[in-house]
Amino acid sequence: MFVEQRIVTLFKRNAHHTLTYWSVFFSFGLCIAFLGPTILDLKCQTNSTLSQITWVFFSQQFCLLIGSTVGGIFKRTLFSALSALFVSALFISVIFAIIPLCNNVLVLAIAMAVSGLAMGIIDTIANIQLVTIYQKDSAVFLQALHFFIGFGALVSPLIADPFLSEHGCGNHTENGTEMMHHFRNLLRNSPIAAQNINQSHLPHGGGEEESIVHYAFWIMALINLPVPIIVLFLMYREQLIPCCPRSTPRLLDKDELAMENQQGAEGTEVEQAAHEGGGHGDIFSCCQNDNLRGLPVSFFMIHILGGMVLFMTDGIVGAYAGFVYAYAVAPPISLSHKTAGYLPSIFWAAITAGRLLSIPLTYRFPVVRLLMFNLVGAIVTVLLLLILYTSSTFLFVGTGLCGFFLSSIFPCMLAYTEDILSYQGCATTILVTSAGMGEMVMQVLVGSIIQTEGSYSFLLCGVIIACIGLMVFIGLFFFARMHTNYLTAGTTKKSAMVEEETPEQNGSAKVEPEKEAGKS
């Protein structure tokens, strides 16, 4: 068979949980890419400037980072994890429903911040729960999880486009329409990029058309509404709803069941790692002295370097998706606005296809090889884009290749680091937080460099960031080998101690019968 029967059995045993987390991440993907295309309509709705609306979206990204950081708090029990998912998914639907009613930019900023906090909590909890359930087999299921967020991000513009006003607050002129398409395609993929636009270029004047974007938000709220219902149904099946009577004892938690499956092969190592690592939790609980005492340097470096790799690679994803349109319409390529508008869609489509293809590849090949292949492939692709910077044809090809190579780095890195740390450390929370921070910081950094140095610096920044990511990953690989040797030496030492104690016990057991025989 293409997939081992053991994997199929494990999936069937945890199918309800896994499908619930996948559906939550599809909704997360819809939400994370849905707001960008509506930024100009929200500007008109709140009678605010483009700069003010940009900071509204920045508040959402910042709170998403906070939610990713504190999301590990809710993993302590299955009840708290599912309850947090239910509340967060419900809040997202409510926020999307009330966004059309926010006529003040400050109220809109608060609503966006709450939705970002909810999405950050979902991001961390879903990743942690899948890692806890499948442990050494989690790479395949993490690839599928992140395929759904890519698929959601690809589908979301299709939902928004029919309801976007063609002229916004401006004139109904041909030039105004073309300029509005220009800004919408740019802002669809990077709210931060709005800071680089001179507001004097926006068309102003009479002839406003009534916006119908509120229908898009309400449809989005309805599409997202089944997600909290699915989570609530899972809580009902697990008998975690307090108001429902419990006629039979609640089933074992999925993380307990996964722990039992792993104990057959390496129970002693897992228990020792659990004692040392302190378990998955928020970053602050991971930094307590009791959890850090006696751990080797390699343990800390794996967390730090793994987070740095995702800081760089997810930063490239955010920056490329945000500024590839602006790069394409500028000299020397100077594509038309309509043609350049396909580039972000190609990039997200390549990410989605790459994550889909990575599901069987992760099953067949070690994740460390896939990580090295993807990092080298991303460097080569961006370097070729830099060399062939005048070729519009290769810009489309390179955009697809870049999205393909970057697509599976995050789930592979998650599975790789958790495997090294025996699935008991704080790697998931730290990696998710680092990835979100990198996407936020790199967008601002690359955008400011493009504004001062020109569009050519866009690809140069990509090459530098990708090379730094590869060097950091090589360092991570070195410390991973060091940590594996440390765990192996500890296990060998314990086995030797057990072997020394066993003959002594056997000898004392033989002496006792001899004494008894002498007495008799």
Side-chain angles (χ1 to χ4, degrees):
M1 292 181 62
F2 183 72
V3 180
E4 290 183 6
Q5 186 62 34
R6 179 181 58 85
I7 300 294
V8 176
T9 303
L10 191 60
F11 172 73
K12 290 180 179 179
R13 182 181 298 166
N14 303 281
H16 197 174
H17 281 251
T18 305
L19 294 175
T20 300
Y21 301 138
W22 286 354
S23 65
V24 168
F25 246 53
F26 175 75
S27 172
F28 178 79
L30 287 173
C31 297
I32 200 66
F34 184 82
L35 298 175
T38 63
I39 188 171
L40 296 179
D41 294 271
L42 291 176
K43 169 183 173 293
C44 299
Q45 175 183 307
T46 57
N47 294 320
S48 57
T49 64
L50 200 58
S51 177
Q52 290 173 327
I53 287 293
T54 298
W55 285 107
V56 166
F57 283 87
F58 179 81
S59 69
Q60 186 208 28
Q61 279 193 309
F62 181 72
C63 288
L64 192 153
L65 177 63
I66 295 176
S68 299
T69 304
V70 303
I73 297 175
F74 303 101
K75 190 268 167 190
R76 301 187 187 281
T77 63
L78 185 63
F79 172 75
S80 61
L82 292 179
S83 299
L85 283 180
F86 170 72
V87 174
S88 299
L90 184 61
F91 266 37
I92 290 175
S93 291
V94 172
I95 292 300
F96 273 103
I98 67 175
I99 281 177
L101 307 178
C102 299
N103 296 321
N104 182 276
V105 68
L106 180 60
V107 177
L108 182 62
I110 295 173
M112 294 292 190
V114 174
S115 67
L117 186 66
M119 287 188 283
I121 292 174
I122 288 174
D123 192 8
T124 299
I125 290 180
N127 280 289
I128 286 179
Q129 290 297 320
L130 277 185
V131 169
T132 306
I133 289 172
Y134 293 105
Q135 297 198 3
K136 286 190 176 297
D137 300 307
S138 61
V140 176
F141 300 96
L142 284 173
Q143 293 286 2
L145 179 73
H146 288 269
F147 160 77
F148 280 99
I149 191 175
F151 183 60
L154 178 64
V155 170
S156 59
L158 302 178
I159 302 175
D161 272 342
F163 302 97
L164 299 177
S165 57
E166 290 296 327
H167 308 281
C169 306
N171 294 325
H172 292 257
T173 62
E174 182 177 357
N175 292 335
T177 302
E178 183 180 2
M179 189 62 68
M180 187 61 66
H181 279 298
H182 171 83
F183 291 121
R184 178 170 296 137
N185 285 325
L186 175 61
L187 299 173
R188 176 170 303 176
N189 300 279
S190 178
I192 305 300
Q195 297 175 353
N196 303 317
I197 300 175
N198 191 330
Q199 295 180 25
S200 62
H201 293 167
L202 285 175
H204 296 282
E208 295 183 0
E209 71 172 283
E210 183 179 358
S211 174
I212 59 172
V213 73
H214 53 276
Y215 291 117
F217 284 101
W218 291 338
I219 290 174
M220 187 62 189
L222 290 176
I223 292 176
N224 190 74
L225 191 58
V227 176
I229 297 176
I230 292 172
V231 178
L232 189 64
F233 180 64
L234 178 59
M235 296 179 66
Y236 172 77
R237 283 199 58 185
E238 293 292 325
Q239 299 183 2
L240 297 176
I241 302 178
C243 60
C244 295
R246 296 185 178 181
S247 57
T248 59
R250 187 173 62 83
L251 297 177
L252 284 174
D253 287 352
K254 297 299 179 181
D255 43 5
E256 295 176 359
L257 185 59
M259 187 66 72
E260 290 180 359
N261 293 336
Q262 296 295 328
Q263 283 177 348
E266 49 186 2
T268 305
E269 296 180 9
V270 171
E271 291 177 2
Q272 178 64 23
H275 175 72
E276 294 179 349
H280 289 287
D282 61 294
I283 290 180
F284 308 106
S285 66
C286 293
C287 297
Q288 293 177 357
N289 292 332
D290 293 340
N291 292 336
L292 304 181
R293 193 172 300 164
L295 292 174
V297 176
S298 57
F299 178 86
F300 302 99
M301 293 305 299
I302 288 170
H303 288 83
I304 295 173
L305 296 180
M308 289 179 62
V309 172
L310 289 185
F311 182 90
M312 299 298 172
T313 55
D314 267 50
I316 295 176
V317 172
Y320 198 93
F323 296 106
V324 65
Y325 176 86
Y327 170 78
V329 297
I333 296 183
S334 302
L335 293 177
S336 65
H337 299 155
K338 183 177 181 181
T339 304
Y342 291 110
L343 286 169
S345 298
I346 291 174
F347 183 72
W348 282 112
I351 288 180
T352 305
R355 287 173 175 169
L356 181 63
L357 182 61
S358 296
I359 296 174
L361 289 179
T362 305
Y363 176 74
R364 293 294 180 183
F365 300 99
V367 290
V368 64
R369 293 185 182 179
L370 294 178
L371 282 169
M372 182 64 72
F373 174 78
N374 288 331
L375 286 169
V376 173
I379 292 175
V380 172
T381 300
V382 182
L383 186 60
L384 289 175
L385 284 170
L386 185 63
I387 296 173
L388 305 174
Y389 66 97
T390 58
S391 173
S392 59
T393 302
F394 189 76
L395 178 61
F396 283 87
V397 176
T399 298
L401 290 175
C402 188
F404 177 81
F405 287 122
L406 292 171
S407 61
S408 61
I409 291 179
F410 183 90
C412 282
M413 181 61 66
L414 216 61
Y416 179 58
T417 52
E418 287 286 7
D419 189 23
I420 298 169
L421 301 171
S422 301
Y423 308 91
Q424 298 299 326
C426 301
T428 298
T429 304
I430 292 176
L431 294 184
V432 171
T433 302
S434 300
M437 188 180 298
E439 188 171 352
M440 182 178 65
V441 171
M442 287 302 176
Q443 280 186 341
V444 178
L445 179 62
V446 174
S448 62
I449 293 175
I450 293 175
Q451 186 177 14
T452 57
E453 303 297 333
S455 61
Y456 185 78
S457 59
F458 165 67
L459 295 177
L460 183 60
C461 289
V463 173
I464 295 173
I465 296 171
C467 289
I468 294 175
L470 178 60
M471 289 187 292
V472 173
F473 175 74
I474 294 173
L476 172 65
F477 182 76
F478 170 77
F479 281 102
R481 297 290 296 271
M482 183 186 301
H483 192 72
T484 302
N485 294 335
Y486 168 80
L487 295 178
T488 304
T491 304
T492 304
K493 184 177 179 180
K494 291 178 182 179
S495 300
M497 293 176 61
V498 171
E499 292 177 357
E500 290 177 359
E501 292 176 357
T502 303
E504 295 178 358
Q505 294 176 354
N506 293 336
S508 61
K510 292 179 179 179
V511 170
E512 291 298 330
E514 292 177 358
K515 291 183 178 180
E516 294 295 333
K519 290 181 181 180
S520 60

